[in-house]
Amino acid sequence: MKQAPPHIAILPSPGVSHQIPFAELARRLVLHHGVHVTIIICSSTDHPPSDATKAVVESLPTPHTRTVFLPPVSFDDLLPTDSGPGAKVALTMSRSLPSIHHVLKSLASTPALTSTSTNSSPPPLVAVFADPFAPDVLDIAKGLDLSTYVFFPSNAMALSFFLHLPKLDEIAAPYDLLKDLPEPVKLPGWPPLRGGDLFGSIQDRRSNTYKRSVQTSKWFVSDEGIKGFVVNSFMDVESEVIKALQEKKAGETVIYPVGPLVQTGQNHEVSECLTWLDNQPRGSVLYVSFGSGGTLSSDQITELAFGLEMSGQRFLWVVRRPNNESANAEYLNSGPKGPLEASDFLPNGFLKRTKGRGLAVPFWAPQAKVLGHGSTGGFLSHCGWNSTLESIVCGVPLIAWPLYAEQKMNAVVLVESLKVALRPKAGEDGLIRREEIAEVIKALMEDTSEEGRIVRNHMKDLKDSATKALSADGSSTRALFELASTLKSMTAN
């Protein structure tokens, strides 16, 4: 009898920033280890699966990957206090649990492949890989006698934060806001972090989001049934944190650093920005983007525009409408609402004055291709982990401009520990002024800048480390092989 290949189900939370690394994990398991993958997509009636989400799952190799789109859940009863993107992501996952249970039960009851099975017969389901936003899925999986894993699409420091959150909660007990902590937070493998640099979405200890996070953290710490934590990172970028995690979980749950998992195979048509980059000098362009959800206030967009102009450097800027209420207002949105005219909210005459030297494109750019283009020499980024890894893989140095989630934590590491980024300073009112922006841009981009030279050299070294981690005998390749071997052993039992 032929041994069946392992079949796993993966459940990313809504939002393309989580779906991309989940899909890339699936791609590598399928192509390099013969694993079969079912990816389960959750959504809501007000945020259906975006075109970007559909493109991500449609790019996966067939026939060994299948996608299940669950019925969208409703938020008609949602209170304003739970209407933020983070709360909506968690609620989308929790309200999808009945549908998730139905799909997993159906997959778990599928008969195993044998030597006489047809190609259309699915392999047996052996494991479930859940997003950290969906801890309840782990109980469903265990009830169906399936092995459970948690995949952190972000880095090892984010995992470490969640595993230490119950202890941090005790330390922070006298304070309502984490930013009010009087002493830096020191955890194994971390640089010292101020309370205000910790996860932005759970700064307020009184919020439902914070309380859910503490409950999830306690679950992760105490649940001995979790077989492993998979992180989108690699040893050289977070060696001390990963070693500390592995020591903490020694003999229990296994830590698998399998990154960098970055988006591949962007099959978009040639875009305006790529054609424009073709006509710029090598390494001369600063790419400016705040990810799939980041937004700036009207005043900050104005300051950034003038800073770019004053710097005298070439730039490619992915522009979104300003939002004065939220730094992640676009996180779950699938695209611009109607035509987006940058001239509507950029300073008068800015586009005309910077024509030829700069290009502002609305809402989206093929980021992987932009960062891999020879004309791109720097990246002003929100420090989301997907963007950070793409920058590392392409060897593009950074200007760190964190907005939300774990991005301030990432920025501290990128600037202070890895020294691959520069960071502009905000004023007392929270605004980063045009003069500061221009100075930092010139420091990164100009050949005569000693600061820029140091950052560029460190990023080149980190790019080499990322390449080595993914090589045939690299640390991430070995970690993925160990994970795949464990999955294959489940089908043999």
Side-chain angles (χ1 to χ4, degrees):
M1 180 180 293
K2 179 182 177 182
Q3 180 180 328
H7 176 196
I8 66 170
I10 63 174
L11 288 100
S13 63
V16 73
S17 65
H18 277 225
Q19 292 161 350
I20 286 173
F22 264 90
E24 294 307 316
L25 174 65
R27 188 189 309 278
R28 291 191 190 175
L29 286 171
V30 169
L31 294 179
H32 301 298
H33 300 284
V35 176
H36 287 236
V37 179
T38 295
I39 181 168
I40 301 173
I41 302 295
C42 304
S43 65
S44 64
T45 52
D46 57 346
H47 293 294
S50 66
D51 290 341
T53 294
K54 294 173 183 176
V56 166
V57 297
E58 287 171 0
S59 72
L60 292 173
T62 56
H64 300 314
T65 56
R66 296 182 300 166
T67 304
V68 177
F69 289 94
L70 298 183
V73 300
S74 174
F75 288 152
D76 290 344
D77 61 334
L78 204 60
L79 298 174
T81 53
D82 274 330
S83 60
K88 284 187 173 181
V89 166
L91 283 171
T92 299
M93 300 305 289
S94 63
R95 294 185 176 187
S96 297
L97 287 175
S99 296
I100 292 172
H101 183 272
H102 175 76
V103 171
L104 292 180
K105 184 177 180 180
S106 174
L107 294 173
S109 63
T110 300
L113 279 175
T114 67
S115 58
T116 58
S117 299
T118 65
N119 289 335
S120 60
S121 301
L125 191 67
V126 298
V128 174
F129 286 63
D131 191 287
F133 274 106
D136 300 284
V137 171
L138 302 178
D139 268 352
I140 293 176
K142 283 185 287 188
L144 297 170
D145 198 28
L146 299 169
S147 296
T148 56
Y149 293 82
V150 179
F151 176 44
F152 269 71
S154 51
N155 51 22
M157 188 164 66
L159 170 58
S160 175
F161 174 82
F162 272 94
L163 293 180
H164 287 93
L165 185 54
K167 181 188 297 185
L168 178 62
D169 186 50
E170 295 177 5
I171 297 172
Y175 307 96
D176 288 334
L177 304 175
L178 293 182
K179 71 177 183 179
D180 293 335
L181 288 170
E183 299 294 332
V185 176
K186 298 179 181 178
L187 293 174
W190 290 28
L193 293 176
R194 298 171 301 168
D197 286 330
L198 301 176
F199 261 79
S201 56
I202 59 173
Q203 276 288 315
D204 189 344
R205 296 182 63 251
R206 301 161 297 185
S207 68
N208 290 332
T209 301
Y210 180 88
K211 294 171 184 176
R212 280 194 300 267
S213 297
V214 173
Q215 183 180 13
T216 299
S217 301
K218 291 179 178 178
W219 199 342
F220 288 162
V221 171
S222 63
D223 190 346
E224 297 179 357
I226 297 175
K227 298 295 185 183
F229 289 99
V230 185
V231 292
N232 188 12
S233 191
F234 60 101
M235 287 300 297
D236 281 0
V237 77
E238 292 188 286
S239 59
E240 295 304 316
V241 180
I242 292 171
K243 288 175 183 176
L245 282 170
Q246 290 172 333
E247 290 172 3
K248 177 180 176 62
K249 305 300 288 186
E252 306 170 26
T253 308
V254 182
I255 309 296
Y256 298 97
V258 299
L261 298 169
V262 298
Q263 189 169 23
T264 59
Q266 286 184 322
N267 295 318
H268 303 287
E269 296 180 2
V270 175
S271 65
E272 174 192 10
C273 58
L274 294 176
T275 301
W276 183 82
L277 281 171
D278 288 340
N279 296 313
Q280 308 306 315
R282 185 170 184 81
S284 66
V285 176
L286 177 71
Y287 175 56
V288 182
S289 176
F290 296 94
S292 60
T295 46
L296 302 178
S297 68
S298 298
D299 289 343
Q300 189 61 84
I301 282 183
T302 296
E303 292 300 315
L304 176 54
F306 279 119
L308 288 166
E309 184 177 349
M310 290 169 60
S311 75
Q313 303 298 310
R314 291 177 171 84
F315 64 87
L316 169 59
W317 183 5
V318 180
V319 181
R320 296 179 180 226
R321 284 191 180 88
N323 190 296
N324 295 328
E325 304 298 326
S326 173
N328 62 343
E330 296 288 343
Y331 182 70
L332 291 175
N333 290 339
S334 58
K337 305 298 187 286
L340 179 63
E341 295 293 338
S343 57
D344 291 344
F345 48 84
L346 293 178
N348 288 335
F350 169 78
L351 294 175
K352 183 177 181 180
R353 293 192 301 272
T354 58
K355 186 176 181 180
R357 178 168 64 83
L359 179 67
V361 297
F363 200 77
W364 178 88
Q367 181 162 292
K369 289 186 176 181
V370 169
L371 290 173
H373 197 286
S375 295
T376 303
F379 183 12
L380 192 159
S381 170
H382 65 313
C383 301
W385 195 239
N386 285 335
S387 292
T388 297
L389 287 181
E390 287 175 351
S391 197
I392 290 171
V393 167
C394 294
V396 178
L398 293 156
I399 293 175
W401 191 311
L403 296 177
Y404 60 94
E406 87 287 8
Q407 294 163 13
K408 289 184 180 180
M409 294 165 57
N410 295 342
V412 171
V413 172
L414 292 168
V415 174
E416 298 180 13
S417 299
L418 297 173
K419 302 186 187 307
V420 295
L422 303 178
R423 185 172 180 178
K425 296 180 177 65
E428 292 184 2
D429 59 357
L431 276 182
I432 304 175
R433 300 294 178 183
R434 61 192 71 178
E435 296 83 3
E436 174 72 6
I437 295 168
E439 182 178 340
V440 172
I441 290 173
K442 288 190 286 186
L444 184 76
M445 300 298 293
E446 290 182 350
D447 291 337
T448 55
S449 166
E450 179 66 12
E451 275 187 296
R453 184 188 65 78
I454 292 172
V455 167
R456 289 191 294 271
N457 287 341
H458 279 126
M459 185 58 94
K460 287 179 183 177
D461 292 340
L462 199 55
K463 175 186 178 181
D464 292 341
S465 296
T467 301
K468 183 179 178 181
L470 296 175
S471 65
D473 194 38
S475 60
S476 296
T477 301
R478 293 196 303 271
L480 190 66
F481 176 82
E482 181 184 350
L483 175 60
S485 297
T486 301
L487 295 173
K488 290 177 182 178
S489 71
M490 295 175 187
T491 65
N493 296 331

